[in-house]
Amino acid sequence: MDGKSLVRTWGGIGLPSTLPDALLFVLSVFFRKIFILQLVGLVLTYNFTDCDFEKIRKKYQEVIYQALEKYMNGIKSTEFNNPIYCEDPPDCLTKIERITFYPTHGCTSLAKEIFAVGTNAALTLQCPGYSGMQINNTQAKKKRKKREVTTNKCRKQVAYLIELWRRFSRIS
C-alpha cells in the first residue's frame, strides 16, 4: 500500500474505508447541501427595484402607519435603542418584508397583524412579480381576538418597522 486509505465502491460511489475519511465524506455532503440551500434562499428573495414607491408610500400613510401606531399602543418607537437603517427604497422594503413576515425568536405573530396585511397588499399590488405572503385572514382575526399582551420583543420589531417605514417615506 502507498499510505492512502482504501476506497470501497458501492453502487458506483466511492466510499471511504476509514472512520475519519467517512466523517469527512459525510460532512462534505452536508455542507454542500447547506450551501445550495443558502444559494436558493438568496435567489428566492425579491428585488424591490421595480416597485411603484409613491403608491406604496401613500398606502403606508393611509393605512399601515395607523395600524403600526395602534399596535404600539402609546409606546414611542424611540424607546428602543437599537436603530435599524436602510439605504434606498428597495433596501427599506427588503428589510420591512423580512421583519414583518419572518418570525424571530420571541416574536412569531407579526405576519397576521393588520399592518402586515396592509404591507402585503401594498407590495403585492405595487411590485410587479412579487408573489406576496400567504396570510389566512380567518386565522388572523381569531388570533387578534385571542392575543394576549404583546411581547416586548414584538414591540421592538414593530419599532424597527416604524423607523424603516419613516425612512422609506423620506427617501422614496
Side-chain angles (χ1 to χ4, degrees), residues 31-32 83 96 129 131 135 139:
F31 286 120
R32 194 174 318 133
I96 287 168
S131 61
I135 300 171
Q139 287 177 344

Side-chain angles (χ1 to χ4, degrees), residues 34 67 72-73 75 83-86 92 98 103 118 132 138 151 158 167-168:
I34 287 177
M72 291 299 276
N73 197 18
I75 295 174
I84 189 166
Y85 301 101
C86 52
C92 292
R98 187 185 72 238
T138 306
T151 66
V158 173
R167 175 80 173 137
F168 172 81

Side-chain angles (χ1 to χ4, degrees), residues 116-166:
V117 174
T119 300
N120 191 40
L123 297 178
T124 302
L125 292 172
Q126 305 308 327
C127 299
Y130 181 75
S131 61
M133 304 307 282
Q134 297 301 316
I135 300 171
N136 186 333
N137 288 333
T138 306
Q139 287 177 344
K141 287 177 188 174
K142 287 179 185 176
K143 225 169 190 161
R144 276 194 294 274
K145 288 179 185 176
K146 292 181 181 179
R147 185 174 69 194
E148 296 175 8
V149 177
T150 303
T151 66
N152 200 38
K153 182 74 172 176
C154 289
R155 285 199 173 119
K156 185 175 184 177
Q157 296 297 99
V158 173
Y160 288 156
L161 285 172
I162 290 170
E163 293 306 314
L164 287 168
W165 275 113
R166 286 180 183 158

Side-chain angles (χ1 to χ4, degrees), residues 65-133:
Y65 171 78
Q66 287 83 4
L68 287 166
E69 291 295 317
K70 185 175 180 181
Y71 184 91
M72 291 299 276
N73 197 18
I75 295 174
K76 300 288 183 197
S77 63
T78 55
E79 291 180 24
F80 300 94
N81 294 346
N82 300 334
I84 189 166
Y85 301 101
C86 52
E87 296 176 15
D88 55 18
D91 183 43
C92 292
L93 292 178
T94 299
K95 290 176 180 174
I96 287 168
E97 180 199 36
R98 187 185 72 238
I99 292 171
T100 303
F101 300 114
Y102 297 97
T104 59
H105 179 69
C107 181
T108 59
S109 63
L110 292 182
K112 293 181 169 95
E113 296 298 329
I114 294 169
F115 62 82
V117 174
T119 300
N120 191 40
L123 297 178
T124 302
L125 292 172
Q126 305 308 327
C127 299
Y130 181 75
S131 61
M133 304 307 282

